[in-house]
């Protein structure tokens, strides 16, 4: 089951039962003034489908409009839009259970441990039988197999080779580590070339190859490529309960921006997500 991606005005929204939410992925500047039609359309989607959350990534200058109708700010990234405008991650809840994370205690432990590793960069070398590449369309079948093996559920249809192929044509750059020709670890860069911002996402390592620092290695390669692509800022939305991924980002000089509560259907259920960012 996957959620639909549609347009409301000129803005891009994902919604569906899988994540039980409306997600304003891209708010078009043409919908800023007035913002109310987009807000009303999202409210209608949530009401008609009985979704329990609306999640929005917006310029912070519009935050007041969202706060006035019941949204809360769960994360904030300075200079997200072109280096000059901050981003606010705004949420509105329609059920008490969605607002309450039963794993919050464990998530706080993960965050404390990650913050204790701030800027503690780790050098990783690949073994002689491994190499790091940018994926090509010929890889999408094998990529889907890796994602399927690593994640019981995922917020986007990465198990579908056609989806991966489509995203490659829409500004996604996928990276992989191969061992003896087989893909054993993956990640992706979702570039916003207009705002010169990139999401570092889709990290997946096959169980037999974990503990080797492959996510650290991929992140370093991704940053180098994004610098060449003239990106200004990198960010990620990482599972709050994942020791490994939060440590990877914090130790590589990413800064904590906030936590999105019960935000994403990933690895078999709804989980809170930590937001991290770094100026490249």
């Amino acid at each position: 089951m996957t959620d639909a991606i549609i347009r409301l005005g000129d803005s891009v929204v994902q919604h569906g039962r899988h994540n039980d939410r409306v997600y304003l992925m891209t708010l078009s500047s043409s919908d800023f003034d007035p913002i109310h039609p987009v807000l009303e359309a999202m409210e209608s989607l949530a009401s008609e489908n009985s979704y329990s959350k609306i999640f929005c990534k917006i310029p912070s200058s519009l935050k007041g409009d969202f706060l006035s109708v019941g949204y809360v700010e769960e994360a904030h990234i300075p200079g997200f839009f072109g280096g000059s405008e901050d981003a606010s991650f705004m949420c509105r809840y329609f059920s008490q259970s969605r607002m309450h994370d039963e794993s919050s205690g464990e998530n706080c432990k993960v965050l404390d441990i990650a913050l204790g590793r701030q800027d503690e960069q780790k050098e990783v070398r690949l073994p002689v039988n491994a190499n790091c590449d940018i994926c090509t369309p010929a890889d999408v079948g094998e990529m889907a197999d890796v994602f399927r093996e690593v994640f019981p559920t995922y917020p986007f249809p990465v198990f579908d080779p056609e989806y991966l192929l489509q995203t490659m044509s829409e500004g996604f750059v996928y990276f992989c580590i191969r061992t003896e020709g087989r893909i054993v670890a993956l990640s992706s860069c979702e570039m916003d070339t207009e705002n010169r911002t990139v999401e570092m996402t889709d990290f997946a390592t096959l169980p037999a190859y974990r503990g080797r620092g492959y996510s650290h290695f991929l992140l370093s390669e991704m940053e180098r490529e994004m610098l060449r692509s003239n990106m200004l800022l990198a960010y990620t939305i990482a599972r709050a309960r994942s020791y490994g991924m939060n440590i990877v980002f914090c130790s590589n000089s990413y800064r904590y921006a906030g936590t999105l509560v019960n935000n994403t259907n990933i690895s078999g259920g709804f989980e809170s997500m930590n937001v991290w960012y770094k100026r490249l």
Side-chain angles (χ1 to χ4, degrees):
M1 181 171 60
T2 58
D3 292 344
I5 296 177
I6 64 170
R7 286 192 176 272
L8 296 180
D10 293 322
S11 300
V12 179
V13 167
Q14 183 202 45
H15 77 100
R17 298 301 331 160
H18 182 62
N19 290 288
D20 188 22
R21 70 181 184 191
V22 178
Y23 173 19
L24 179 58
M25 300 169 64
T26 305
L27 177 60
S28 172
S29 58
S30 64
D31 293 324
F32 285 7
D33 190 17
I35 189 67
H36 305 293
V38 170
L39 282 168
E40 290 167 2
M42 289 193 299
E43 296 284 326
S44 294
L45 266 179
S47 177
E48 291 164 8
N49 294 281
S50 300
Y51 296 142
S52 58
K53 184 171 184 175
I54 301 177
F55 165 47
C56 307
K57 185 171 73 239
I58 64 163
S60 292
S61 57
L62 299 173
K63 181 170 67 173
D65 293 283
F66 286 77
L67 291 171
S68 69
V69 291
Y71 285 75
V72 294
E73 184 182 51
E74 291 192 327
H76 175 267
I77 297 180
F80 185 94
F81 296 101
S84 58
E85 169 80 84
D86 296 355
S88 292
F89 292 70
M90 308 296 296
C91 300
R92 185 172 184 188
Y93 294 91
F94 299 94
S95 77
Q96 288 295 318
S97 60
R98 190 71 183 254
M99 292 175 63
H100 175 66
D101 184 358
E102 295 181 353
S103 300
S104 60
E106 180 65 22
N107 295 345
C108 287
K109 292 179 184 177
V110 172
L111 183 59
D112 285 344
I113 288 172
L115 291 171
R117 305 278 293 275
Q118 187 79 58
D119 303 329
E120 190 181 287
Q121 295 194 10
K122 176 180 179 180
E123 184 178 359
V124 177
R125 296 183 184 274
L126 296 182
V128 293
N129 65 340
N131 63 287
C132 184
D133 293 319
I134 291 177
C135 297
T136 71
D139 296 316
V140 295
E142 188 177 3
M143 292 164 60
D145 289 341
V146 171
F147 284 128
R148 195 177 296 113
E149 183 171 345
V150 171
F151 296 107
T153 58
Y154 205 72
F156 292 90
V158 294
F159 310 143
D160 180 0
E162 290 301 318
Y163 169 80
L164 298 174
L165 191 62
Q166 176 188 334
T167 55
M168 284 183 178
S169 68
E170 296 175 346
F172 284 55
V173 181
Y174 290 90
F175 293 74
C176 69
I177 292 175
R178 302 179 198 267
T179 297
E180 297 179 346
R182 178 193 181 202
I183 295 177
V184 299
L186 283 167
S187 61
S188 78
C189 295
E190 182 180 348
M191 289 190 290
D192 177 348
T193 53
E194 178 181 353
N195 292 301
R196 297 172 67 189
T197 300
V198 56
E199 183 176 1
M200 311 302 227
T201 186
D202 299 333
F203 286 82
T205 301
L206 292 175
Y209 294 87
R210 292 174 187 164
R212 307 184 187 195
Y214 283 178
S215 293
H216 284 274
F217 190 92
L218 285 166
L219 184 58
S220 295
E221 292 297 306
M222 294 159 74
E223 288 181 354
R224 277 191 279 272
E225 183 64 25
M226 290 304 100
L227 279 169
R228 286 193 286 267
S229 298
N230 206 28
M231 296 293 105
L232 291 175
L233 183 140
Y235 76 103
T236 195
I237 302 176
R239 296 171 61 207
R241 67 175 62 176
S242 171
Y243 285 91
M245 290 313 304
N246 285 280
I247 289 170
V248 164
F249 282 97
C250 194
S251 65
N252 282 280
S253 301
Y254 284 71
R255 296 301 186 251
Y256 172 68
T259 299
L260 313 173
V261 177
N262 284 333
N263 195 67
T264 303
N265 186 342
I266 188 169
S267 290
F270 286 98
E271 295 192 22
S272 295
M273 310 293 284
N274 287 337
V275 181
W276 300 89
Y277 71 95
K278 178 181 180 178
R279 291 198 173 279
L280 296 175

